[in-house]
Amino acid sequence: MKKKGLVKKMGNFISFINTFLSYVLQLAVIAALSGIAMFIGIKQRKRKNGQ
C-alpha cells in the first residue's frame, strides 16, 4: 500500500516539474524575442535619426 502512495506522489512531483520547466521555457522564449525586438527597434531608430 505504501508503495502505491509513493509512486503517486512521485508522479505528481514529476508532473509539477514538467509543468514548471515548460513555463520557464516559455518565459525564456518570450524574453529572447522581446530582447531581439528591442535591439531591432533601437537599431532602426538610430539609422532613421542618422539620415
Side-chain angles (χ1 to χ4, degrees):
M1 278 292 209
K2 285 189 174 187
K3 201 154 197 153
K4 284 187 178 182
L6 180 63
V7 170
K8 188 174 182 181
K9 286 182 182 178
M10 188 59 85
N12 287 340
F13 179 70
I14 290 171
S15 179
F16 169 75
I17 293 297
N18 188 17
T19 303
F20 180 76
L21 291 177
S22 175
Y23 280 115
V24 168
L25 181 62
Q26 285 181 357
L27 176 66
V29 168
I30 291 170
L33 289 176
S34 299
I36 291 169
M38 286 190 298
F39 174 76
I40 291 171
I42 290 169
K43 189 174 179 180
Q44 286 181 343
R45 173 55 69 182
K46 286 182 181 178
R47 188 184 325 159
K48 185 178 179 183
N49 287 344
Q51 287 180 348

PDB file of all heavy atoms in Angstrom, residues 4-43:
ATOM      1  N   LYS A   4       2.335   2.323  -3.483  1.00  0.00           N
ATOM      2  CA  LYS A   4       1.448   2.991  -4.435  1.00  0.00           C
ATOM      3  C   LYS A   4       1.334   4.471  -4.112  1.00  0.00           C
ATOM      4  O   LYS A   4       1.312   5.302  -5.011  1.00  0.00           O
ATOM      5  CB  LYS A   4       0.061   2.341  -4.426  1.00  0.00           C
ATOM      6  CG  LYS A   4       0.011   1.019  -5.142  1.00  0.00           C
ATOM      7  CD  LYS A   4      -1.391   0.519  -5.246  1.00  0.00           C
ATOM      8  CE  LYS A   4      -1.430  -0.781  -6.021  1.00  0.00           C
ATOM      9  NZ  LYS A   4      -2.787  -1.258  -6.183  1.00  0.00           N
ATOM     10  N   GLY A   5       1.260   4.819  -2.836  1.00  0.00           N
ATOM     11  CA  GLY A   5       1.180   6.217  -2.448  1.00  0.00           C
ATOM     12  C   GLY A   5       2.443   6.970  -2.839  1.00  0.00           C
ATOM     13  O   GLY A   5       2.393   8.106  -3.303  1.00  0.00           O
ATOM     14  N   LEU A   6       3.594   6.323  -2.662  1.00  0.00           N
ATOM     15  CA  LEU A   6       4.871   6.940  -3.030  1.00  0.00           C
ATOM     16  C   LEU A   6       4.967   7.130  -4.536  1.00  0.00           C
ATOM     17  O   LEU A   6       5.396   8.178  -5.008  1.00  0.00           O
ATOM     18  CB  LEU A   6       6.039   6.089  -2.526  1.00  0.00           C
ATOM     19  CG  LEU A   6       7.438   6.608  -2.848  1.00  0.00           C
ATOM     20  CD1 LEU A   6       7.645   7.951  -2.156  1.00  0.00           C
ATOM     21  CD2 LEU A   6       8.487   5.617  -2.388  1.00  0.00           C
ATOM     22  N   VAL A   7       4.517   6.131  -5.286  1.00  0.00           N
ATOM     23  CA  VAL A   7       4.552   6.227  -6.743  1.00  0.00           C
ATOM     24  C   VAL A   7       3.634   7.348  -7.213  1.00  0.00           C
ATOM     25  O   VAL A   7       3.988   8.123  -8.102  1.00  0.00           O
ATOM     26  CB  VAL A   7       4.145   4.882  -7.397  1.00  0.00           C
ATOM     27  CG1 VAL A   7       3.941   5.032  -8.890  1.00  0.00           C
ATOM     28  CG2 VAL A   7       5.205   3.829  -7.110  1.00  0.00           C
ATOM     29  N   LYS A   8       2.462   7.480  -6.594  1.00  0.00           N
ATOM     30  CA  LYS A   8       1.528   8.532  -6.964  1.00  0.00           C
ATOM     31  C   LYS A   8       2.117   9.905  -6.649  1.00  0.00           C
ATOM     32  O   LYS A   8       2.022  10.833  -7.449  1.00  0.00           O
ATOM     33  CB  LYS A   8       0.201   8.339  -6.233  1.00  0.00           C
ATOM     34  CG  LYS A   8      -0.880   9.277  -6.698  1.00  0.00           C
ATOM     35  CD  LYS A   8      -2.209   8.961  -6.060  1.00  0.00           C
ATOM     36  CE  LYS A   8      -3.277   9.896  -6.583  1.00  0.00           C
ATOM     37  NZ  LYS A   8      -4.563   9.636  -5.976  1.00  0.00           N
ATOM     38  N   LYS A   9       2.750  10.034  -5.472  1.00  0.00           N
ATOM     39  CA  LYS A   9       3.375  11.309  -5.106  1.00  0.00           C
ATOM     40  C   LYS A   9       4.519  11.635  -6.052  1.00  0.00           C
ATOM     41  O   LYS A   9       4.699  12.788  -6.435  1.00  0.00           O
ATOM     42  CB  LYS A   9       3.879  11.264  -3.663  1.00  0.00           C
ATOM     43  CG  LYS A   9       2.781  11.335  -2.641  1.00  0.00           C
ATOM     44  CD  LYS A   9       3.335  11.337  -1.241  1.00  0.00           C
ATOM     45  CE  LYS A   9       2.218  11.351  -0.218  1.00  0.00           C
ATOM     46  NZ  LYS A   9       2.717  11.308   1.147  1.00  0.00           N
ATOM     47  N   MET A  10       5.301  10.630  -6.438  1.00  0.00           N
ATOM     48  CA  MET A  10       6.418  10.859  -7.352  1.00  0.00           C
ATOM     49  C   MET A  10       5.884  11.268  -8.719  1.00  0.00           C
ATOM     50  O   MET A  10       6.445  12.143  -9.373  1.00  0.00           O
ATOM     51  CB  MET A  10       7.274   9.597  -7.472  1.00  0.00           C
ATOM     52  CG  MET A  10       8.551   9.831  -8.239  1.00  0.00           C
ATOM     53  SD  MET A  10       9.603  11.085  -7.517  1.00  0.00           S
ATOM     54  CE  MET A  10      10.489  10.114  -6.333  1.00  0.00           C
ATOM     55  N   GLY A  11       4.798  10.671  -9.153  1.00  0.00           N
ATOM     56  CA  GLY A  11       4.175  11.048 -10.418  1.00  0.00           C
ATOM     57  C   GLY A  11       3.688  12.481 -10.388  1.00  0.00           C
ATOM     58  O   GLY A  11       3.844  13.225 -11.355  1.00  0.00           O
ATOM     59  N   ASN A  12       3.103  12.883  -9.259  1.00  0.00           N
ATOM     60  CA  ASN A  12       2.658  14.269  -9.114  1.00  0.00           C
ATOM     61  C   ASN A  12       3.845  15.220  -9.136  1.00  0.00           C
ATOM     62  O   ASN A  12       3.772  16.304  -9.722  1.00  0.00           O
ATOM     63  CB  ASN A  12       1.878  14.456  -7.810  1.00  0.00           C
ATOM     64  CG  ASN A  12       0.508  13.831  -7.870  1.00  0.00           C
ATOM     65  OD1 ASN A  12      -0.027  13.579  -8.949  1.00  0.00           O
ATOM     66  ND2 ASN A  12      -0.070  13.574  -6.716  1.00  0.00           N
ATOM     67  N   PHE A  13       4.939  14.839  -8.502  1.00  0.00           N
ATOM     68  CA  PHE A  13       6.140  15.672  -8.468  1.00  0.00           C
ATOM     69  C   PHE A  13       6.725  15.819  -9.870  1.00  0.00           C
ATOM     70  O   PHE A  13       7.081  16.928 -10.286  1.00  0.00           O
ATOM     71  CB  PHE A  13       7.181  15.064  -7.518  1.00  0.00           C
ATOM     72  CG  PHE A  13       8.458  15.843  -7.440  1.00  0.00           C
ATOM     73  CD1 PHE A  13       8.493  17.081  -6.825  1.00  0.00           C
ATOM     74  CD2 PHE A  13       9.618  15.344  -8.005  1.00  0.00           C
ATOM     75  CE1 PHE A  13       9.666  17.803  -6.760  1.00  0.00           C
ATOM     76  CE2 PHE A  13      10.800  16.059  -7.950  1.00  0.00           C
ATOM     77  CZ  PHE A  13      10.824  17.295  -7.316  1.00  0.00           C
ATOM     78  N   ILE A  14       6.800  14.737 -10.613  1.00  0.00           N
ATOM     79  CA  ILE A  14       7.337  14.782 -11.973  1.00  0.00           C
ATOM     80  C   ILE A  14       6.433  15.642 -12.859  1.00  0.00           C
ATOM     81  O   ILE A  14       6.912  16.429 -13.673  1.00  0.00           O
ATOM     82  CB  ILE A  14       7.497  13.359 -12.541  1.00  0.00           C
ATOM     83  CG1 ILE A  14       8.633  12.643 -11.806  1.00  0.00           C
ATOM     84  CG2 ILE A  14       7.759  13.379 -14.033  1.00  0.00           C
ATOM     85  CD1 ILE A  14       8.766  11.179 -12.120  1.00  0.00           C
ATOM     86  N   SER A  15       5.128  15.519 -12.671  1.00  0.00           N
ATOM     87  CA  SER A  15       4.185  16.340 -13.431  1.00  0.00           C
ATOM     88  C   SER A  15       4.385  17.818 -13.109  1.00  0.00           C
ATOM     89  O   SER A  15       4.361  18.666 -14.005  1.00  0.00           O
ATOM     90  CB  SER A  15       2.756  15.912 -13.109  1.00  0.00           C
ATOM     91  OG  SER A  15       1.838  16.704 -13.808  1.00  0.00           O
ATOM     92  N   PHE A  16       4.583  18.135 -11.835  1.00  0.00           N
ATOM     93  CA  PHE A  16       4.823  19.524 -11.424  1.00  0.00           C
ATOM     94  C   PHE A  16       6.111  20.057 -12.047  1.00  0.00           C
ATOM     95  O   PHE A  16       6.136  21.165 -12.585  1.00  0.00           O
ATOM     96  CB  PHE A  16       4.905  19.616  -9.899  1.00  0.00           C
ATOM     97  CG  PHE A  16       5.402  20.948  -9.419  1.00  0.00           C
ATOM     98  CD1 PHE A  16       4.584  22.055  -9.449  1.00  0.00           C
ATOM     99  CD2 PHE A  16       6.700  21.090  -8.968  1.00  0.00           C
ATOM    100  CE1 PHE A  16       5.044  23.293  -9.019  1.00  0.00           C
ATOM    101  CE2 PHE A  16       7.176  22.321  -8.543  1.00  0.00           C
ATOM    102  CZ  PHE A  16       6.336  23.417  -8.563  1.00  0.00           C
ATOM    103  N   ILE A  17       7.186  19.279 -11.989  1.00  0.00           N
ATOM    104  CA  ILE A  17       8.467  19.705 -12.564  1.00  0.00           C
ATOM    105  C   ILE A  17       8.319  19.910 -14.072  1.00  0.00           C
ATOM    106  O   ILE A  17       8.838  20.882 -14.627  1.00  0.00           O
ATOM    107  CB  ILE A  17       9.572  18.666 -12.254  1.00  0.00           C
ATOM    108  CG1 ILE A  17       9.876  18.644 -10.755  1.00  0.00           C
ATOM    109  CG2 ILE A  17      10.831  18.943 -13.049  1.00  0.00           C
ATOM    110  CD1 ILE A  17      10.435  19.939 -10.213  1.00  0.00           C
ATOM    111  N   ASN A  18       7.605  19.017 -14.735  1.00  0.00           N
ATOM    112  CA  ASN A  18       7.386  19.123 -16.170  1.00  0.00           C
ATOM    113  C   ASN A  18       6.654  20.424 -16.504  1.00  0.00           C
ATOM    114  O   ASN A  18       7.042  21.162 -17.410  1.00  0.00           O
ATOM    115  CB  ASN A  18       6.584  17.920 -16.667  1.00  0.00           C
ATOM    116  CG  ASN A  18       6.493  17.863 -18.168  1.00  0.00           C
ATOM    117  OD1 ASN A  18       7.254  18.507 -18.864  1.00  0.00           O
ATOM    118  ND2 ASN A  18       5.546  17.089 -18.661  1.00  0.00           N
ATOM    119  N   THR A  19       5.596  20.729 -15.770  1.00  0.00           N
ATOM    120  CA  THR A  19       4.838  21.957 -15.993  1.00  0.00           C
ATOM    121  C   THR A  19       5.696  23.182 -15.697  1.00  0.00           C
ATOM    122  O   THR A  19       5.695  24.156 -16.455  1.00  0.00           O
ATOM    123  CB  THR A  19       3.576  21.965 -15.108  1.00  0.00           C
ATOM    124  OG1 THR A  19       2.811  20.794 -15.392  1.00  0.00           O
ATOM    125  CG2 THR A  19       2.733  23.185 -15.374  1.00  0.00           C
ATOM    126  N   PHE A  20       6.446  23.137 -14.596  1.00  0.00           N
ATOM    127  CA  PHE A  20       7.295  24.260 -14.204  1.00  0.00           C
ATOM    128  C   PHE A  20       8.345  24.546 -15.275  1.00  0.00           C
ATOM    129  O   PHE A  20       8.529  25.691 -15.684  1.00  0.00           O
ATOM    130  CB  PHE A  20       7.964  23.940 -12.867  1.00  0.00           C
ATOM    131  CG  PHE A  20       8.865  25.027 -12.369  1.00  0.00           C
ATOM    132  CD1 PHE A  20       8.342  26.175 -11.819  1.00  0.00           C
ATOM    133  CD2 PHE A  20      10.244  24.898 -12.454  1.00  0.00           C
ATOM    134  CE1 PHE A  20       9.173  27.190 -11.367  1.00  0.00           C
ATOM    135  CE2 PHE A  20      11.079  25.892 -12.005  1.00  0.00           C
ATOM    136  CZ  PHE A  20      10.536  27.042 -11.451  1.00  0.00           C
ATOM    137  N   LEU A  21       9.015  23.510 -15.751  1.00  0.00           N
ATOM    138  CA  LEU A  21      10.034  23.695 -16.787  1.00  0.00           C
ATOM    139  C   LEU A  21       9.421  24.184 -18.093  1.00  0.00           C
ATOM    140  O   LEU A  21      10.051  24.953 -18.827  1.00  0.00           O
ATOM    141  CB  LEU A  21      10.812  22.402 -17.002  1.00  0.00           C
ATOM    142  CG  LEU A  21      11.728  21.995 -15.850  1.00  0.00           C
ATOM    143  CD1 LEU A  21      12.394  20.659 -16.153  1.00  0.00           C
ATOM    144  CD2 LEU A  21      12.763  23.058 -15.551  1.00  0.00           C
ATOM    145  N   SER A  22       8.200  23.765 -18.377  1.00  0.00           N
ATOM    146  CA  SER A  22       7.519  24.244 -19.573  1.00  0.00           C
ATOM    147  C   SER A  22       7.294  25.753 -19.495  1.00  0.00           C
ATOM    148  O   SER A  22       7.529  26.475 -20.469  1.00  0.00           O
ATOM    149  CB  SER A  22       6.176  23.520 -19.719  1.00  0.00           C
ATOM    150  OG  SER A  22       5.445  24.042 -20.796  1.00  0.00           O
ATOM    151  N   TYR A  23       6.859  26.248 -18.329  1.00  0.00           N
ATOM    152  CA  TYR A  23       6.655  27.679 -18.166  1.00  0.00           C
ATOM    153  C   TYR A  23       7.979  28.442 -18.179  1.00  0.00           C
ATOM    154  O   TYR A  23       8.045  29.553 -18.705  1.00  0.00           O
ATOM    155  CB  TYR A  23       5.880  27.981 -16.881  1.00  0.00           C
ATOM    156  CG  TYR A  23       4.393  27.766 -17.038  1.00  0.00           C
ATOM    157  CD1 TYR A  23       3.738  26.775 -16.312  1.00  0.00           C
ATOM    158  CD2 TYR A  23       3.648  28.543 -17.915  1.00  0.00           C
ATOM    159  CE1 TYR A  23       2.382  26.578 -16.464  1.00  0.00           C
ATOM    160  CE2 TYR A  23       2.292  28.348 -18.065  1.00  0.00           C
ATOM    161  CZ  TYR A  23       1.653  27.368 -17.333  1.00  0.00           C
ATOM    162  OH  TYR A  23       0.320  27.168 -17.481  1.00  0.00           O
ATOM    163  N   VAL A  24       9.022  27.859 -17.623  1.00  0.00           N
ATOM    164  CA  VAL A  24      10.338  28.507 -17.661  1.00  0.00           C
ATOM    165  C   VAL A  24      10.815  28.628 -19.109  1.00  0.00           C
ATOM    166  O   VAL A  24      11.350  29.672 -19.504  1.00  0.00           O
ATOM    167  CB  VAL A  24      11.357  27.729 -16.800  1.00  0.00           C
ATOM    168  CG1 VAL A  24      12.769  28.206 -17.051  1.00  0.00           C
ATOM    169  CG2 VAL A  24      11.008  27.862 -15.325  1.00  0.00           C
ATOM    170  N   LEU A  25      10.601  27.594 -19.908  1.00  0.00           N
ATOM    171  CA  LEU A  25      10.986  27.635 -21.313  1.00  0.00           C
ATOM    172  C   LEU A  25      10.178  28.697 -22.062  1.00  0.00           C
ATOM    173  O   LEU A  25      10.730  29.455 -22.863  1.00  0.00           O
ATOM    174  CB  LEU A  25      10.783  26.263 -21.959  1.00  0.00           C
ATOM    175  CG  LEU A  25      11.170  26.153 -23.430  1.00  0.00           C
ATOM    176  CD1 LEU A  25      12.667  26.431 -23.611  1.00  0.00           C
ATOM    177  CD2 LEU A  25      10.820  24.786 -23.969  1.00  0.00           C
ATOM    178  N   GLN A  26       8.886  28.797 -21.783  1.00  0.00           N
ATOM    179  CA  GLN A  26       8.062  29.835 -22.404  1.00  0.00           C
ATOM    180  C   GLN A  26       8.561  31.218 -22.034  1.00  0.00           C
ATOM    181  O   GLN A  26       8.630  32.113 -22.884  1.00  0.00           O
ATOM    182  CB  GLN A  26       6.604  29.698 -21.980  1.00  0.00           C
ATOM    183  CG  GLN A  26       5.869  28.576 -22.640  1.00  0.00           C
ATOM    184  CD  GLN A  26       4.422  28.507 -22.201  1.00  0.00           C
ATOM    185  OE1 GLN A  26       3.979  29.275 -21.358  1.00  0.00           O
ATOM    186  NE2 GLN A  26       3.679  27.569 -22.758  1.00  0.00           N
ATOM    187  N   LEU A  27       8.900  31.409 -20.768  1.00  0.00           N
ATOM    188  CA  LEU A  27       9.428  32.696 -20.314  1.00  0.00           C
ATOM    189  C   LEU A  27      10.721  33.037 -21.038  1.00  0.00           C
ATOM    190  O   LEU A  27      10.916  34.177 -21.476  1.00  0.00           O
ATOM    191  CB  LEU A  27       9.665  32.665 -18.802  1.00  0.00           C
ATOM    192  CG  LEU A  27      10.312  33.901 -18.192  1.00  0.00           C
ATOM    193  CD1 LEU A  27       9.379  35.105 -18.299  1.00  0.00           C
ATOM    194  CD2 LEU A  27      10.697  33.644 -16.762  1.00  0.00           C
ATOM    195  N   ALA A  28      11.608  32.061 -21.190  1.00  0.00           N
ATOM    196  CA  ALA A  28      12.882  32.300 -21.866  1.00  0.00           C
ATOM    197  C   ALA A  28      12.665  32.667 -23.332  1.00  0.00           C
ATOM    198  O   ALA A  28      13.322  33.584 -23.847  1.00  0.00           O
ATOM    199  CB  ALA A  28      13.765  31.049 -21.761  1.00  0.00           C
ATOM    200  N   VAL A  29      11.750  32.008 -24.000  1.00  0.00           N
ATOM    201  CA  VAL A  29      11.474  32.307 -25.409  1.00  0.00           C
ATOM    202  C   VAL A  29      10.892  33.704 -25.550  1.00  0.00           C
ATOM    203  O   VAL A  29      11.317  34.489 -26.412  1.00  0.00           O
ATOM    204  CB  VAL A  29      10.525  31.248 -26.021  1.00  0.00           C
ATOM    205  CG1 VAL A  29      10.002  31.681 -27.380  1.00  0.00           C
ATOM    206  CG2 VAL A  29      11.233  29.907 -26.125  1.00  0.00           C
ATOM    207  N   ILE A  30       9.938  34.059 -24.703  1.00  0.00           N
ATOM    208  CA  ILE A  30       9.331  35.389 -24.765  1.00  0.00           C
ATOM    209  C   ILE A  30      10.364  36.466 -24.462  1.00  0.00           C
ATOM    210  O   ILE A  30      10.410  37.504 -25.133  1.00  0.00           O
ATOM    211  CB  ILE A  30       8.122  35.475 -23.812  1.00  0.00           C
ATOM    212  CG1 ILE A  30       6.987  34.603 -24.350  1.00  0.00           C
ATOM    213  CG2 ILE A  30       7.650  36.916 -23.645  1.00  0.00           C
ATOM    214  CD1 ILE A  30       5.837  34.418 -23.386  1.00  0.00           C
ATOM    215  N   ALA A  31      11.206  36.236 -23.466  1.00  0.00           N
ATOM    216  CA  ALA A  31      12.246  37.212 -23.126  1.00  0.00           C
ATOM    217  C   ALA A  31      13.238  37.379 -24.275  1.00  0.00           C
ATOM    218  O   ALA A  31      13.646  38.501 -24.596  1.00  0.00           O
ATOM    219  CB  ALA A  31      12.968  36.788 -21.851  1.00  0.00           C
ATOM    220  N   ALA A  32      13.618  36.284 -24.911  1.00  0.00           N
ATOM    221  CA  ALA A  32      14.557  36.358 -26.037  1.00  0.00           C
ATOM    222  C   ALA A  32      13.942  37.118 -27.201  1.00  0.00           C
ATOM    223  O   ALA A  32      14.591  37.973 -27.813  1.00  0.00           O
ATOM    224  CB  ALA A  32      14.965  34.950 -26.470  1.00  0.00           C
ATOM    225  N   LEU A  33      12.688  36.826 -27.521  1.00  0.00           N
ATOM    226  CA  LEU A  33      12.021  37.538 -28.614  1.00  0.00           C
ATOM    227  C   LEU A  33      11.870  39.022 -28.299  1.00  0.00           C
ATOM    228  O   LEU A  33      12.041  39.864 -29.189  1.00  0.00           O
ATOM    229  CB  LEU A  33      10.656  36.908 -28.897  1.00  0.00           C
ATOM    230  CG  LEU A  33      10.671  35.529 -29.543  1.00  0.00           C
ATOM    231  CD1 LEU A  33       9.254  34.974 -29.669  1.00  0.00           C
ATOM    232  CD2 LEU A  33      11.336  35.570 -30.905  1.00  0.00           C
ATOM    233  N   SER A  34      11.571  39.351 -27.062  1.00  0.00           N
ATOM    234  CA  SER A  34      11.459  40.754 -26.662  1.00  0.00           C
ATOM    235  C   SER A  34      12.800  41.462 -26.789  1.00  0.00           C
ATOM    236  O   SER A  34      12.864  42.602 -27.258  1.00  0.00           O
ATOM    237  CB  SER A  34      10.952  40.868 -25.218  1.00  0.00           C
ATOM    238  OG  SER A  34       9.675  40.297 -25.105  1.00  0.00           O
ATOM    239  N   GLY A  35      13.862  40.810 -26.368  1.00  0.00           N
ATOM    240  CA  GLY A  35      15.198  41.390 -26.486  1.00  0.00           C
ATOM    241  C   GLY A  35      15.587  41.630 -27.932  1.00  0.00           C
ATOM    242  O   GLY A  35      16.132  42.685 -28.277  1.00  0.00           O
ATOM    243  N   ILE A  36      15.282  40.667 -28.799  1.00  0.00           N
ATOM    244  CA  ILE A  36      15.591  40.823 -30.229  1.00  0.00           C
ATOM    245  C   ILE A  36      14.782  41.971 -30.816  1.00  0.00           C
ATOM    246  O   ILE A  36      15.307  42.793 -31.578  1.00  0.00           O
ATOM    247  CB  ILE A  36      15.320  39.500 -30.975  1.00  0.00           C
ATOM    248  CG1 ILE A  36      16.337  38.444 -30.553  1.00  0.00           C
ATOM    249  CG2 ILE A  36      15.352  39.704 -32.486  1.00  0.00           C
ATOM    250  CD1 ILE A  36      16.006  37.040 -31.028  1.00  0.00           C
ATOM    251  N   ALA A  37      13.505  42.058 -30.446  1.00  0.00           N
ATOM    252  CA  ALA A  37      12.652  43.135 -30.962  1.00  0.00           C
ATOM    253  C   ALA A  37      13.166  44.497 -30.506  1.00  0.00           C
ATOM    254  O   ALA A  37      13.182  45.456 -31.286  1.00  0.00           O
ATOM    255  CB  ALA A  37      11.213  42.929 -30.504  1.00  0.00           C
ATOM    256  N   MET A  38      13.594  44.610 -29.245  1.00  0.00           N
ATOM    257  CA  MET A  38      14.139  45.889 -28.759  1.00  0.00           C
ATOM    258  C   MET A  38      15.424  46.239 -29.490  1.00  0.00           C
ATOM    259  O   MET A  38      15.635  47.398 -29.857  1.00  0.00           O
ATOM    260  CB  MET A  38      14.382  45.822 -27.252  1.00  0.00           C
ATOM    261  CG  MET A  38      13.113  45.884 -26.441  1.00  0.00           C
ATOM    262  SD  MET A  38      13.373  46.106 -24.672  1.00  0.00           S
ATOM    263  CE  MET A  38      14.267  44.650 -24.245  1.00  0.00           C
ATOM    264  N   PHE A  39      16.286  45.263 -29.707  1.00  0.00           N
ATOM    265  CA  PHE A  39      17.537  45.507 -30.421  1.00  0.00           C
ATOM    266  C   PHE A  39      17.264  46.016 -31.834  1.00  0.00           C
ATOM    267  O   PHE A  39      17.865  46.993 -32.286  1.00  0.00           O
ATOM    268  CB  PHE A  39      18.370  44.219 -30.464  1.00  0.00           C
ATOM    269  CG  PHE A  39      19.609  44.327 -31.294  1.00  0.00           C
ATOM    270  CD1 PHE A  39      20.712  45.015 -30.808  1.00  0.00           C
ATOM    271  CD2 PHE A  39      19.673  43.764 -32.555  1.00  0.00           C
ATOM    272  CE1 PHE A  39      21.872  45.122 -31.568  1.00  0.00           C
ATOM    273  CE2 PHE A  39      20.823  43.864 -33.324  1.00  0.00           C
ATOM    274  CZ  PHE A  39      21.923  44.552 -32.828  1.00  0.00           C
ATOM    275  N   ILE A  40      16.332  45.372 -32.533  1.00  0.00           N
ATOM    276  CA  ILE A  40      15.997  45.789 -33.897  1.00  0.00           C
ATOM    277  C   ILE A  40      15.385  47.188 -33.891  1.00  0.00           C
ATOM    278  O   ILE A  40      15.722  48.030 -34.733  1.00  0.00           O
ATOM    279  CB  ILE A  40      15.047  44.766 -34.556  1.00  0.00           C
ATOM    280  CG1 ILE A  40      15.787  43.460 -34.822  1.00  0.00           C
ATOM    281  CG2 ILE A  40      14.449  45.319 -35.851  1.00  0.00           C
ATOM    282  CD1 ILE A  40      14.897  42.316 -35.277  1.00  0.00           C
ATOM    283  N   GLY A  41      14.507  47.464 -32.931  1.00  0.00           N
ATOM    284  CA  GLY A  41      13.879  48.779 -32.847  1.00  0.00           C
ATOM    285  C   GLY A  41      14.884  49.883 -32.580  1.00  0.00           C
ATOM    286  O   GLY A  41      14.825  50.956 -33.201  1.00  0.00           O
ATOM    287  N   ILE A  42      15.812  49.659 -31.677  1.00  0.00           N
ATOM    288  CA  ILE A  42      16.839  50.667 -31.368  1.00  0.00           C
ATOM    289  C   ILE A  42      17.733  50.881 -32.587  1.00  0.00           C
ATOM    290  O   ILE A  42      18.070  52.020 -32.929  1.00  0.00           O
ATOM    291  CB  ILE A  42      17.660  50.230 -30.137  1.00  0.00           C
ATOM    292  CG1 ILE A  42      16.801  50.312 -28.873  1.00  0.00           C
ATOM    293  CG2 ILE A  42      18.911  51.079 -29.991  1.00  0.00           C
ATOM    294  CD1 ILE A  42      17.423  49.671 -27.657  1.00  0.00           C
ATOM    295  N   LYS A  43      18.078  49.797 -33.258  1.00  0.00           N
ATOM    296  CA  LYS A  43      18.938  49.907 -34.444  1.00  0.00           C
ATOM    297  C   LYS A  43      18.243  50.711 -35.544  1.00  0.00           C
ATOM    298  O   LYS A  43      18.858  51.580 -36.176  1.00  0.00           O
ATOM    299  CB  LYS A  43      19.293  48.501 -34.942  1.00  0.00           C
ATOM    300  CG  LYS A  43      20.331  48.481 -36.021  1.00  0.00           C
ATOM    301  CD  LYS A  43      20.723  47.054 -36.346  1.00  0.00           C
ATOM    302  CE  LYS A  43      21.765  47.039 -37.453  1.00  0.00           C
ATOM    303  NZ  LYS A  43      22.169  45.692 -37.799  1.00  0.00           N
TER     304      LYS A  43
END
